[in-house]
Amino acid sequence: MTIGIDPALLARYGSLAIKARVIVEGALSGMHRASVHGSSVEFAQHKEYSPGDELRHVDWKAYAKQDRYYVKQFEQESQLTVYLVLDASASMAFGGGAIPKIEYAGLALAAIAYLVVQQQDKVGLLACGDKQIETFVPPRGRTNHLHDLLGVLDGVVTAGGRGDESPAHALQRIAELARRKRALIVVASDLFDAEDETLATLARLRAQRHDVSVLHLIDPHERAFPYDGLTQFESLESAHKLLVNPNAVRADYLARMAAFLARCKSAMADAGVDYHLVATDQPVERTLLDLIMARSRLGPGKGGGRDRRMEVG
Amino acid sequence: MGFLAPLMLVGVAALLVPIAIHLIGRQRARVVKFAALDFLMATKRRTARKFRLRERLLLLVRAIACAAIAIALAKPYTSCETKGPQVTRGPQAVVLVLDDSFASSYVVDGKPWIRRAGEEARRILTQLGPEAEVAIIRAAEGADHPTELTRDHIRLRDQLLALEPAARPADTTRALSRAAQLLASSSHARKTVYLIGLVARTGIRDEQVWGEDGPRLVVVDARPASMPNVAVTNLRVDPESGIGTRGVAFDAEIANFDDAATSVEATLQIADKVVARGRVDLAARQRKSKRFVATLPPNVRSTDASVSISGDSLAIDDRRFVRASLRDKVRVLLVDGDPRTVRREDELFYLEAALRPGDRDDSGTQVRSITAEELAGIEPGAKGKPGAIDLAEFDVVVLANVPALSAERVAVLAAWVQSGGGILVAPGDRVDPAAYDRTMLPLLPQSLRDPIDTTWGATPDERDSRALHLVKWEADHPIFTPFPPSAPDLADARFYKIVLLGPTTNTSERKVLARFTNGAAALVEASIGTGKTLLFTSTLDRDWNDLPIHRGFLPLVQQSARHLARKHSALGVADHLVGSSVALPTGDLQKLEVRGPDNLGAAYEGDRIAGRSSIRFNRTDRPGLYRVIGSDQTGATLERDELAFVVNVDPRGSDLAPAPASMLPTSGTGGGTAPESTERRVELWHALAAALLLLLLAEGILVQR
């Protein structure tokens, strides 16, 4: 079964909120709701019954002892906090064979945010790339917050990639913000800049028992290098230019790219990071579903939430 | 440098075309903003630099190629001062006479002179232009000459490149004569002979090659100021009994052809082993003889030897070869049919003298003379008695004017001949043809008829004019090989009376070796079993002819005796010169192979050898030892040392003295010698065209990379 819509088509839809909803609904259509119920609430205190309270919460044992009606009050368990990290560096603006990587990342992160808020969890956003501008949306769980977050995300995506700041700084910032409270951190990046530093920071986050998922975004042209004829390549992050015959360098380039991807995958696996190599021409629904399935597989204590997993529905 | 068509230089502007294309092509490169540039930049250092270098090289090559086309079309030329003759370009008939005699192997500045001559000839050929009809004539003696002029300059150039010094002296006169013949057949008005090389005096004969209306002669002989040369010009070997039976003396003649005194070391080699050395001091233009005495190696009857001198610039004449053989004595039994008390009237007077000249031990023959009556000693009944003669002790029996023998004696003689003996029968006044017919036929190739006397009835004045002479002899037969073709020593002998011959007898391989002027046979040979018989139809003394007082008598008798005894070898046999024809007796050989110093040669078998008493070997191209390998009837192949021979260079060619201008033919339309120096124009567009081709090739390779 083919899941999802072509990202290029999806990009033409209206606001980011709508796109996020389309993605989530597209991804989740036909799937069963989670069978886990009630485990997310915990007894907090007794309250004297007043009309309107649910009878099922009346503590009949207390009534037997004290002959008064008490109702059990439950406290919802601590919410899952999800930090979305968007690499908005200049290299993410590349879109050779599909939509630009930053747009794809925006769609994917918007869908995740939508899903998280649907689950009444908290979601925050941190965009990195341009050292001069800090884009941070603190984690909240309200619907209004979702709209704010998506608005900020849309602004970052629309502005396009800028700067060459590594996601490592943003991740360090999250480490400080989350402190001891465990969080799920979703990073969308091409990892082209200072990947070693980023990987080290990701490993540190894992060591702090945060759950980390990485969407490694690669454009199809970056994978296949389908260029021909005399070509001048210009860097997106620097003033470097290179006039070259692509045929002469293709084999060398592809070998280096394959080595880079293998290195990323291996380092992520070593660090226990949930790693997804995402081609930007694959449907966002597919990416979202892969992420959800991976989180489901990992479960509590294995990289998933301690007490709540990212649930379907 | 100048240009014949300078307007064409405008085309040099065409070099802007590739530059413009390059710049436009560079601007038109597709621009791609690329995220993963770092992965490309890693290879940039290698590939980008290579790419840039290739692009620049291509631009350079294309720009130069464009400019080269324009420059070549402008026909650039340069002028240079050069030594050598001034050569006129255009339609004309030209003969290049090149001295390729062995003197042309003279080394100057590490290069044989013939190389310089070849370079000079190629330069002249280039300057003549493609319209000139040219022939190349080699001046070495015996060289093949072309039959026509040609415009195929490529073939001529190849001929010049392949030119190697011959081993023969120069015969410049013959070459010039041939050049004049070739030019005479040409319709061109301009006719020139370029004589290139060492024009030595020895190569020019006093002959008028052409007259005033002959071709123009240009001599190109830029020889160095001095060309010293020392050569071994002769080498003889004689027995030297003073040091034993195997002792031999080598007499080498060493000549200095230079005007300065010199000293050389002479070395004797026997069978490639150095045996003796000695120093020879030579004054200017002096010839000296150097004697070496040595013994031949044991168990060897025949070997090659050479005398060489320390090397000079002309190496080929520094060594001379000789064949040294120990001669087998021929044992001859002379039967005197007409003994006289007056010695010079005796039938054997001249024969004995010819077989043992000076009655010396080294004559090579051992002679015993008996009367016809004493021949009774050969009969079986005489064995053990005084006067008994054992024929096994002799190789040859000569019956000189012997009356017909009894049938018993003839039977004994015939049996001896059949088993390998040789018999020579000569008639005389005591020979009765009818009696010979009755008993002597087993010993004769043909029966005898009555003699004819050419002087019968003639006055003393007419006597000599009526005499017969020897003609038509088998020059290749071993008996006649010492004689030159005309052989006045034989042809001048007068024969007044000869015996005519009748039908052939029961012998095999009968052959008339010589005839008289009237067609009658003079010398007839036949085989009897494994032996041979020779019949001479006149006397061996002066009764019927005056042959014995001619110089040809001695070699004729000696060779006949040796042929009958099948012993052809002689000490220090004839000195063959390079290019001469050598007669080799075939004997009983079925196959005969001659191998020269370079191990090349010729093989004679089948029809080339069957029925012949000798063959002629003509490929004596190089000096040195020529070995002979023969296969007999049993199929056994053996090296025939007795037939091996040596070939030497003609010493005439060693004298390099230049020919004076007076000896050369007069030049028909110009000066006889080349101008010392002249300015000439060298066209450069050929080189440019070649460079252009190379550039296009380079461009093609660069594009492919």
Side-chain angles (χ1 to χ4, degrees):
Chain A
M1 183 178 69
T2 307
I3 297 173
I5 306 164
D6 181 3
L9 286 174
L10 190 61
R12 294 183 203 154
Y13 289 179
S15 68
L16 196 57
I18 294 170
K19 293 174 196 167
R21 189 176 169 182
V22 169
I23 294 164
V24 171
E25 287 181 355
L28 305 184
S29 63
M31 298 192 72
H32 299 289
R33 294 172 69 89
S35 57
V36 182
H37 293 286
S39 64
S40 63
V41 291
E42 192 172 63
F43 173 73
Q45 60 182 356
H46 280 108
K47 168 190 165 280
E48 199 164 350
Y49 174 77
S50 61
D53 289 336
E54 280 195 53
L55 286 177
R56 65 183 178 124
H57 291 153
V58 173
D59 188 344
W60 298 107
K61 285 183 181 174
Y63 172 74
K65 287 178 186 169
Q66 298 187 14
D67 198 19
R68 297 177 71 149
Y69 292 102
Y70 288 97
V71 188
K72 281 182 186 173
Q73 278 196 330
F74 293 91
E75 188 177 75
Q76 204 168 33
E77 211 176 353
S78 57
Q79 286 176 301
L80 172 67
T81 304
V82 178
Y83 287 97
L84 305 176
V85 180
L86 172 64
D87 179 0
S89 65
S91 65
M92 289 290 282
F94 179 71
I99 59 170
K101 287 185 278 186
I102 194 166
E103 274 190 37
Y104 191 96
L107 289 173
L109 294 185
I112 293 166
Y114 181 86
L115 188 61
V116 170
V117 170
Q118 286 284 307
Q119 290 185 180
Q120 297 180 344
D121 287 327
K122 292 192 278 188
V123 62
L125 172 69
L126 193 60
C128 61
D130 193 345
K131 287 174 186 168
Q132 308 300 323
I133 305 164
E134 185 187 80
T135 308
F136 176 56
V137 179
R140 298 278 190 279
R142 291 194 301 272
T143 310
N144 285 345
H145 173 71
L146 174 66
H147 289 298
D148 295 344
L149 186 142
L150 292 181
V152 171
L153 184 58
D154 202 15
V156 172
V157 171
T158 308
R162 275 180 300 185
D164 60 352
E165 192 190 25
S166 158
H169 299 286
L171 293 169
Q172 282 165 6
R173 178 86 194 283
I174 287 168
E176 291 164 10
L177 289 170
R179 291 207 182 88
R180 287 173 178 274
K181 194 171 181 187
R182 203 167 163 191
L184 169 62
I185 300 153
V186 180
V187 183
S189 170
D190 56 12
L191 299 177
F192 278 171
D193 307 302
E195 85 245 20
D196 289 342
E197 199 182 348
T198 304
L199 290 172
T201 313
L202 287 171
R204 200 153 55 243
L205 285 169
R206 278 294 298 141
Q208 290 172 2
R209 302 178 60 77
H210 294 296
D211 295 326
V212 183
S213 288
V214 171
L215 301 178
H216 190 182
L217 302 172
I218 294 290
D219 189 90
H221 281 196
E222 289 171 339
R223 287 290 296 273
F225 202 64
Y227 302 102
D228 200 4
L230 186 62
T231 308
Q232 179 161 302
F233 292 97
E234 294 181 359
S235 175
L236 289 162
E237 294 180 355
S238 67
H240 286 136
K241 291 179 180 175
L242 178 63
L243 181 65
V244 75
N245 182 355
N247 292 329
V249 296
R250 180 175 292 112
D252 224 12
Y253 169 85
L254 292 178
R256 284 172 193 282
M257 176 57 78
F260 164 69
L261 295 177
R263 194 165 65 246
C264 286
K265 188 177 181 183
S266 161
M268 298 290 182
D270 290 348
V273 174
D274 176 27
Y275 174 78
H276 300 271
L277 179 62
V278 179
T280 55
D281 59 347
Q282 82 175 28
V284 188
E285 291 90 333
R286 173 85 255 164
T287 307
L288 186 63
L289 206 52
D290 286 348
L291 185 69
I292 292 167
M293 299 301 282
R295 302 295 329 158
S296 301
R297 273 199 308 275
L298 289 169
K302 292 180 185 175
R306 178 189 60 184
D307 38 22
R308 290 198 65 178
R309 285 171 282 178
M310 189 183 282
E311 293 175 351
V312 176
Chain B
M1 193 172 83
F3 295 93
L4 292 175
L7 271 179
M8 288 293 174
L9 286 177
V10 176
V12 173
L15 71 84
L16 294 174
V17 174
I19 295 173
I21 291 171
H22 178 80
L23 293 175
I24 292 166
R26 196 181 164 83
Q27 281 174 354
R28 285 178 62 189
R30 185 175 155 204
V31 176
V32 172
K33 290 195 175 293
F34 197 61
L37 194 69
D38 284 348
F39 295 103
L40 285 176
M41 296 298 276
T43 57
K44 174 191 166 190
R45 282 159 195 81
R46 253 182 320 120
T47 57
R49 196 181 301 136
K50 210 188 321 176
F51 181 76
R52 210 175 298 129
L53 181 69
R54 192 196 77 140
E55 287 294 306
R56 286 177 186 171
L57 273 175
L58 260 177
L59 172 64
L60 186 70
V61 166
R62 286 168 178 167
I64 294 174
C66 286
I69 293 171
I71 296 172
L73 288 173
K75 292 195 172 180
Y77 68 88
T78 187
S79 301
C80 67
E81 290 258 323
T82 178
K83 284 186 175 177
Q86 188 165 20
V87 178
T88 314
R89 199 179 175 84
Q92 58 191 306
V94 172
V95 175
L96 304 174
V97 177
L98 270 116
D99 178 10
D100 67 330
S101 66
F102 71 77
S104 68
S105 62
Y106 195 96
V107 177
V108 178
D109 298 334
K111 206 153 86 169
W113 192 256
I114 198 164
R115 293 278 163 271
R116 292 167 187 276
E119 285 166 12
E120 189 63 27
R122 289 204 301 278
R123 190 184 63 74
I124 292 170
L125 191 62
T126 306
Q127 291 177 31
L128 287 171
E131 293 165 310
E133 286 193 320
V134 186
I136 295 167
I137 291 183
R138 294 183 291 133
E141 192 180 72
D144 293 332
H145 290 165
T147 53
E148 58 184 5
L149 300 163
T150 177
R151 283 205 182 94
D152 187 355
H153 289 207
I154 294 173
R155 189 163 57 83
L156 294 173
R157 194 170 291 273
D158 290 345
Q159 277 180 29
L160 289 172
L161 284 170
L163 207 60
E164 290 292 333
R168 300 183 71 173
D171 190 351
T172 312
T173 304
R174 175 173 166 262
L176 289 173
S177 300
R178 182 64 190 149
Q181 285 173 6
L182 284 176
L183 291 174
S185 63
S186 169
S187 57
H188 286 288
R190 267 195 291 166
K191 296 172 183 176
T192 313
V193 173
Y194 290 91
L195 179 53
I196 307 163
L198 300 164
V199 186
R201 183 191 299 163
T202 50
I204 312 273
R205 292 194 301 274
D206 190 14
E207 286 177 19
Q208 185 172 4
V209 179
W210 61 68
E212 286 295 323
D213 58 342
R216 174 169 163 258
L217 177 67
V218 180
V219 182
V220 186
D221 180 12
R223 60 163 64 204
S226 163
M227 294 185 82
N229 184 36
V230 181
V232 184
T233 52
N234 194 18
L235 180 59
R236 274 190 56 213
V237 57
D238 294 299
E240 179 60 48
S241 52
I243 56 168
T245 54
R246 306 187 73 81
V248 281
F250 295 89
D251 289 295
E253 184 189 64
I254 299 167
N256 176 16
F257 294 100
D258 193 29
D259 291 327
T262 187
S263 175
V264 292
E265 187 184 64
T267 306
L268 169 69
Q269 281 180 283
I270 295 179
D272 288 332
K273 198 179 276 183
V274 174
V275 174
R277 280 199 176 93
R279 187 151 280 282
V280 183
D281 296 319
L282 293 156
R285 301 251 157 220
Q286 189 189 16
R287 285 172 188 263
K288 252 188 186 176
S289 185
K290 174 75 182 172
R291 167 168 274 230
F292 293 101
V293 177
T295 53
L296 294 185
N299 306 321
V300 169
R301 296 207 61 79
S302 176
T303 186
D304 58 298
S306 69
V307 168
S308 56
I309 54 171
S310 38
D312 57 9
S313 294
L314 184 57
I316 194 167
D317 61 4
D318 291 345
R319 189 175 187 193
R320 206 156 185 90
F321 302 87
V322 74
R323 189 80 188 150
S325 306
L326 293 177
R327 187 158 52 181
D328 290 325
K329 284 196 169 178
V330 179
R331 300 161 299 174
V332 185
L333 177 65
L334 302 180
V335 184
D336 191 347
D338 189 15
R340 301 287 179 91
T341 51
V342 179
R343 184 79 186 104
R344 67 179 179 84
E345 290 178 359
D346 192 278
E347 190 72 28
L348 299 179
F349 174 72
Y350 295 100
L351 188 60
E352 282 180 338
L355 288 171
R356 282 182 67 81
D359 202 20
R360 282 166 46 152
D361 280 343
D362 60 356
S363 63
T365 49
Q366 181 184 315
V367 176
R368 181 180 169 190
S369 301
I370 58 170
T371 60
E373 290 72 31
E374 287 172 321
L375 199 57
I378 65 169
E379 290 179 15
K383 218 172 236 179
K385 295 178 183 170
I389 297 168
D390 184 4
L391 284 175
E393 292 174 2
F394 298 96
D395 302 310
V396 178
V397 171
V398 180
L399 302 181
N401 198 12
V402 175
L405 300 174
S406 65
E408 292 77 22
R409 288 179 197 174
V410 169
V412 173
L413 278 170
W416 170 76
V417 172
Q418 282 211 328
S419 62
I423 191 162
L424 170 63
V425 181
D429 294 328
R430 304 199 60 181
V431 170
D432 175 13
Y436 260 54
D437 263 4
R438 284 194 292 277
T439 60
M440 297 288 281
L441 289 183
L443 296 175
L444 299 175
Q446 280 180 262
S447 60
L448 303 186
R449 290 287 173 266
D450 289 334
I452 56 165
D453 189 350
T454 59
T455 59
W456 189 82
T459 62
D461 294 340
E462 292 173 335
R463 186 179 149 85
D464 285 351
S465 62
R466 287 200 185 180
L468 299 172
H469 295 275
L470 277 176
V471 287
K472 290 185 182 174
W473 55 82
E474 291 282 324
D476 290 344
H477 193 277
I479 292 177
F480 293 100
T481 48
F483 299 99
S486 57
D489 297 339
L490 282 179
D492 290 349
R494 289 178 285 260
F495 291 80
Y496 307 109
K497 191 171 179 181
I498 60 167
V499 68
L500 295 176
L501 299 182
T504 55
T505 57
N506 193 23
T507 53
S508 60
E509 298 176 6
R510 190 196 67 89
K511 188 187 265 182
V512 178
L513 302 180
R515 289 185 185 277
F516 292 111
T517 38
N518 66 348
L523 188 64
V524 185
E525 179 193 29
S527 296
I528 301 173
T530 56
K532 283 191 181 299
T533 176
L534 269 180
L535 174 59
F536 187 55
T537 57
S538 193
T539 58
L540 293 170
D541 64 357
R542 291 190 63 189
D543 287 353
W544 289 8
N545 59 65
D546 67 353
L547 177 66
I549 61 168
H550 281 81
R551 287 197 300 176
F553 182 68
L554 185 140
L556 180 70
V557 169
Q558 290 259 358
Q559 288 296 110
S560 299
R562 293 208 155 270
H563 176 62
L564 288 171
R566 253 86 87 230
K567 289 173 180 172
H568 301 287
S569 56
L571 196 69
V573 286
D575 190 7
H576 301 290
L577 297 180
V578 172
S580 63
S581 173
V582 178
L584 297 167
T586 53
D588 301 327
L589 298 177
Q590 297 295 303
K591 182 182 174 186
L592 194 145
E593 191 181 345
V594 185
R595 287 188 191 158
D598 44 11
N599 224 18
L600 297 174
Y604 302 84
E605 57 184 322
D607 292 344
R608 298 183 70 187
I609 195 168
R612 291 167 180 244
S613 54
S614 68
I615 51 101
R616 283 211 166 264
F617 178 75
N618 297 316
R619 293 170 61 181
T620 51
D621 301 329
R622 310 300 309 173
L625 170 70
Y626 286 71
R627 297 183 298 128
V628 179
I629 295 145
S631 305
D632 59 17
Q633 287 163 331
T634 61
T637 301
L638 278 176
E639 187 151 341
R640 304 286 168 163
D641 274 345
E642 74 278 11
L643 296 179
F645 59 95
V646 293
V647 169
N648 288 304
V649 293
D650 191 333
R652 285 183 300 134
S654 299
D655 189 354
L656 307 178
S662 60
M663 287 183 76
L664 293 169
T666 49
S667 183
T669 55
T673 54
E676 276 301 302
S677 173
T678 178
E679 189 183 82
R680 67 186 175 95
R681 199 169 66 193
V682 179
E683 291 189 2
L684 302 173
W685 70 271
H686 309 88
L688 269 173
L692 182 62
L693 279 175
L694 288 176
L695 282 169
L696 292 176
L697 186 70
E699 198 264 350
I701 293 169
L702 279 171
V703 166
Q704 290 297 318
R705 285 178 76 86

